[in-house]
Amino acid sequence: MSKINRDAIIEDVRKPVNRIFEALEKLDADTLLENYHNHADFRFVALIFGQIFNLTYEEFSMAMKGTYETMKEQKMIRETEFFNVLSETKVMYNTTGTGCQIPKEGERMDFVVIVTQILSLIEGEWKVIHETEAAIPKKEE
């Protein structure tokens, strides 16, 4: 694959990735979910604050909507990013960073996070077909 194709693919994939993180901060589950592939093969696998998740798209959708309804604020700072162009139609995206969630009731939670997404070009749009995530409480310095 030529460098031009690789760079163009990364720029195209960056758009839905950025929309996902913008929606995450706006607590907008509907916009967030538009960037994920609603398909039987979709998986969201995560270890979040000690709880293990292995969700289908439908389960992931319900979880995001339910979680965002309980939040007052959520932030994520991507500190590293890596795009691995696997083919003309598949890209693996990885980011590490820090974030916080402020629930409507309860205490603020600061965390470190790593996210890996596999995106596929489906009917002209890049969609997340798989996501693996880990979030653990951030230790005070």
Side-chain angles (χ1 to χ4, degrees):
M1 186 178 328
S2 73
K3 182 168 174 44
I4 294 170
N5 286 345
R6 184 181 183 285
D7 290 346
I9 289 169
I10 289 171
E11 286 310 306
D12 284 347
V13 169
R14 191 180 298 279
K15 293 170 190 169
V17 167
N18 286 343
R19 284 193 300 265
I20 287 167
F21 286 99
E22 288 166 8
L24 177 147
E25 291 201 352
K26 292 177 182 174
L27 302 172
D28 182 350
D30 291 330
T31 299
L32 177 115
L33 291 167
E34 288 172 3
N35 296 283
Y36 289 79
H37 188 46
N38 183 354
H39 190 273
D41 292 335
F42 172 86
R43 287 319 250 185
F44 173 82
V45 181
L47 176 60
I48 300 175
F49 301 120
Q51 188 172 355
I52 295 173
F53 297 89
N54 187 352
L55 307 177
T56 65
Y57 178 87
E58 185 176 316
E59 293 165 336
F60 176 67
S61 175
M62 291 183 345
M64 290 299 94
K65 290 176 182 179
T67 298
Y68 286 4
E69 288 174 3
T70 68
M71 289 292 140
K72 182 169 38 171
E73 186 176 332
Q74 180 169 248
K75 297 286 183 200
M76 168 101 181
I77 299 168
R78 293 177 276 171
E79 296 170 359
T80 67
E81 286 188 306
F82 177 72
F83 293 85
N84 183 1
V85 178
L86 303 171
S87 73
E88 296 282 339
T89 61
K90 296 277 189 289
V91 174
M92 186 172 64
Y93 169 75
N94 176 268
T95 186
T96 61
T98 58
C100 73
Q101 290 181 328
I102 303 173
K104 290 177 182 173
E105 295 181 18
E107 294 185 25
R108 173 187 173 121
M109 296 173 282
D110 292 294
F111 55 88
V112 294
V113 66
I114 182 168
V115 177
T116 298
Q117 298 173 329
I118 299 174
L119 295 97
S120 184
L121 188 59
I122 301 167
E123 298 176 3
E125 293 185 57
W126 287 98
K127 300 274 186 176
V128 176
I129 61 171
H130 177 89
E131 182 169 327
T132 301
E133 181 177 322
I136 60 171
K138 187 176 180 182
K139 295 183 182 188
E140 294 188 30
E141 297 174 9

